[in-house]
Amino acid sequence: MQRRHLALLPAGILATPAIAQEAERSQDLVQGFSRARLARFQPAMAREVERGSFNGCVALIARNGQIIHHEAYGHQDNARRIPMTREAIFLLASMTKPITSVAAMMLVEEGRMKIGDNITQWLPELRELKVMTREGEVPLARPITVQDLLRHSSGFVYAAASPFPRIRELYEENDIEARRGPVPGDEMLRRLGTIPLAFQPGAQFFYSISTDVLGLLLQRVAGQPLDRLIAERITGPLGMTDTVWWVDPARRSRVAESIASDPLSTPMWNSYRIEQNPVPAGHFKGGAGLVGTSSDYFRFAQMVANGGSFEGKRYLSAPTVNWMLSDHMGSMGGTPQASTGPGYGFGLGFAVRREQGIAVAPGSPGDAMWAGAWGTSFTIDRAEKLVGVFMAQGPSSRTHTRMVFKNMVYGAMVESLRG
């Protein structure tokens, strides 16, 4: 074994045991990650399949912009006849939100809007909104801004999590989330404008349909449909060829199936309707509408990690990326903990780690992440020059599996850039 490594040493250097050990060690490392530790993914993902977390998954890790681990595990289908592949397509759900948020900041950089702008400039359907309180409905203390949509402080909700049963009923009666069938964007806004907010704007982080509303706002600011805006500015230039709003017949065989035993799979599948073009009967949901592959999402996440550029093309300025990946919650109430675990605040479209400790998985202060309801997640740790993307379709196990992935990524990183 030592003779194999001696051949790699420069001429004239004496092959001491220490040098031989260092050569052996260097063969085990790639960008500071241990190959032996990366091999732990295989048995760990097999355990998750056995546990019933998902049928299969894809794990991607990159450091310094270089992909060092990109492997598929398990199967793509419930029958477990089709092996999972790195080209499998996953429902991104809320991992659509960071992409829509980046599109918004592109328009901010162009002077088309400001994040402090009142959203009713473009969404007049929402001018008569009130806020529900225990004592009744009251006027807004201040307008909803674009920043509120980006950081989920608008007062909108997702019906299932509403703190007021009446708001939940109104969301469901009006099918605000288009779960029963397509709802045109203009009609969705008209209905939403009749339902009170759950909180005063800017008072509370509360995860919500805010990014769906943001997507409709972007269409009016840009004067083009959201799918075209995203394709022309982000997915097309980045080469995200399989990140689309609905799955055409040519791609259908590559869609990973959510595990059949998961009680959330059937109702969620029925509400997502990914085999139908959302328009003209419905609208493009900026908060949950996209599907895509691990390779595609890596390209997006690496662009953000690079400070707004990728493969020689700039998408956002570095100061804008820094602004987005700063905590915008301040002293407001609420927390993204249900998605991130403790220790995170929220920026403009991304959850942002506040400190080294407190969190339930490793990371760095300032690292950014988000995840999707089907079981997808990503992390961007700029201090470690790290990007991780995890793709699975197992909604009930999603919090568990995203933390398993993060633990394993950092467990394989034996050389930290932070010392």
Side-chain angles (χ1 to χ4, degrees):
M1 178 65 71
Q2 284 188 359
R3 276 184 298 201
R4 177 170 63 86
H5 293 309
L6 294 180
L8 300 175
L9 298 175
I13 295 182
L14 181 63
T16 66
I19 291 176
Q21 277 187 348
E22 180 62 26
E24 180 78 33
R25 178 176 172 276
S26 69
Q27 293 297 301
D28 181 56
L29 294 185
V30 52
Q31 293 289 341
F33 277 74
S34 162
R35 288 186 172 90
R37 285 171 171 257
L38 289 171
R40 295 172 173 176
F41 270 91
Q42 179 67 51
M45 296 304 103
R47 287 192 297 270
E48 292 304 321
V49 171
E50 182 65 24
R51 180 179 181 269
S53 296
F54 43 66
N55 293 312
C57 65
V58 179
L60 185 154
I61 306 168
R63 200 175 203 188
N64 292 311
Q66 176 187 339
I67 295 175
I68 61 171
H69 182 85
H70 190 194
E71 299 294 337
Y73 303 98
H75 291 83
Q76 181 182 304
D77 62 326
N78 279 299
R80 297 187 180 175
R81 295 192 184 98
I82 304 172
M84 183 64 77
T85 71
R86 292 182 297 182
E87 291 72 40
I89 292 173
F90 295 82
L91 282 70
L92 296 178
S94 288
M95 274 173 48
T96 304
K97 289 179 170 71
I99 295 175
T100 301
S101 299
V102 164
M105 299 310 293
M106 289 175 167
L107 297 182
V108 169
E109 286 191 336
E110 294 173 8
R112 309 280 288 275
M113 65 181 188
K114 308 184 300 297
I115 71 166
D117 284 340
N118 181 341
I119 66 171
T120 61
Q121 285 188 55
W122 301 281
L123 307 177
E125 297 93 337
L126 306 181
R127 281 180 179 156
E128 303 302 321
L129 284 170
K130 303 290 185 184
V131 178
M132 182 171 285
T133 69
R134 303 298 174 188
E135 293 73 37
E137 296 182 17
V138 301
L140 275 62
R142 68 156 175 79
I144 300 171
T145 65
V146 175
Q147 184 182 33
D148 290 320
L149 298 181
L150 285 160
R151 68 182 180 184
H152 296 278
S153 58
S154 61
F156 297 128
V157 300
Y158 278 121
S162 171
F164 291 96
R166 181 56 183 153
I167 292 180
R168 175 176 182 164
E169 292 169 4
L170 290 169
Y171 269 55
E172 291 175 345
E173 288 172 9
N174 287 276
D175 201 15
I176 294 299
E177 296 166 37
R179 295 191 179 277
R180 296 195 301 271
V183 179
D186 292 351
E187 176 62 17
M188 180 272 209
L189 290 169
R190 187 194 66 76
R191 297 178 190 179
L192 186 62
T194 68
I195 302 173
L197 301 175
F199 307 97
Q200 285 286 355
Q204 179 97 359
F205 172 93
F206 198 85
Y207 195 48
S208 71
I209 62 165
S210 287
T211 318
D212 290 336
V213 176
L214 179 65
L216 294 171
L217 183 149
L218 297 184
Q219 292 188 146
R220 294 185 180 180
V221 173
Q224 62 181 155
L226 186 62
D227 66 330
R228 193 181 311 158
L229 175 70
I230 297 292
E232 290 180 0
R233 292 170 174 266
I234 301 175
T235 58
L238 277 170
M240 300 169 67
T241 55
D242 287 310
T243 301
V244 293
W245 296 91
W246 63 290
V247 178
D248 57 30
R251 292 183 173 93
R252 183 63 184 86
S253 64
R254 292 161 52 205
V255 175
E257 294 183 358
S258 181
I259 191 162
S261 59
D262 191 318
L264 295 178
S265 291
T266 297
M268 285 176 59
W269 178 262
N270 291 339
S271 68
Y272 272 70
R273 300 183 297 278
I274 65 162
E275 294 175 280
Q276 303 172 27
N277 188 338
V279 296
H283 63 280
F284 299 107
K285 296 176 73 171
L290 288 169
V291 303
T293 63
S294 54
S295 297
D296 278 5
Y297 213 90
F298 158 71
R299 298 176 77 82
F300 171 76
Q302 189 65 55
M303 178 272 290
V304 175
N306 292 347
S309 66
F310 186 76
E311 294 184 344
K313 179 175 174 60
R314 180 154 294 281
Y315 296 82
L316 289 173
S317 75
T320 295
V321 173
N322 291 338
W323 188 26
M324 295 183 75
L325 302 190
S326 299
D327 186 7
H328 284 246
M329 285 181 59
S331 60
M332 72 173 61
T335 172
Q337 182 168 330
S339 294
T340 62
Y344 281 77
F346 206 84
L348 302 178
F350 298 79
V352 182
R353 188 175 180 127
R354 287 173 162 163
E355 53 191 303
Q356 176 67 29
I358 307 299
V360 294
S364 305
D367 75 37
M369 63 83 64
W370 203 240
W374 287 97
T376 60
S377 63
F378 72 90
T379 188
I380 298 170
D381 186 339
R382 295 192 292 171
E384 294 287 8
K385 299 188 183 301
L386 169 73
V387 168
V389 178
F390 182 71
M391 296 289 197
Q393 308 278 240
S396 292
S397 298
R398 63 186 184 266
T399 303
H400 163 73
T401 54
R402 77 182 59 138
M403 297 307 172
V404 168
F405 173 68
K406 289 184 78 170
N407 285 340
M408 297 194 68
V409 168
Y410 284 96
M413 181 194 292
V414 296
E415 292 183 348
S416 171
L417 299 180
R418 299 171 56 215

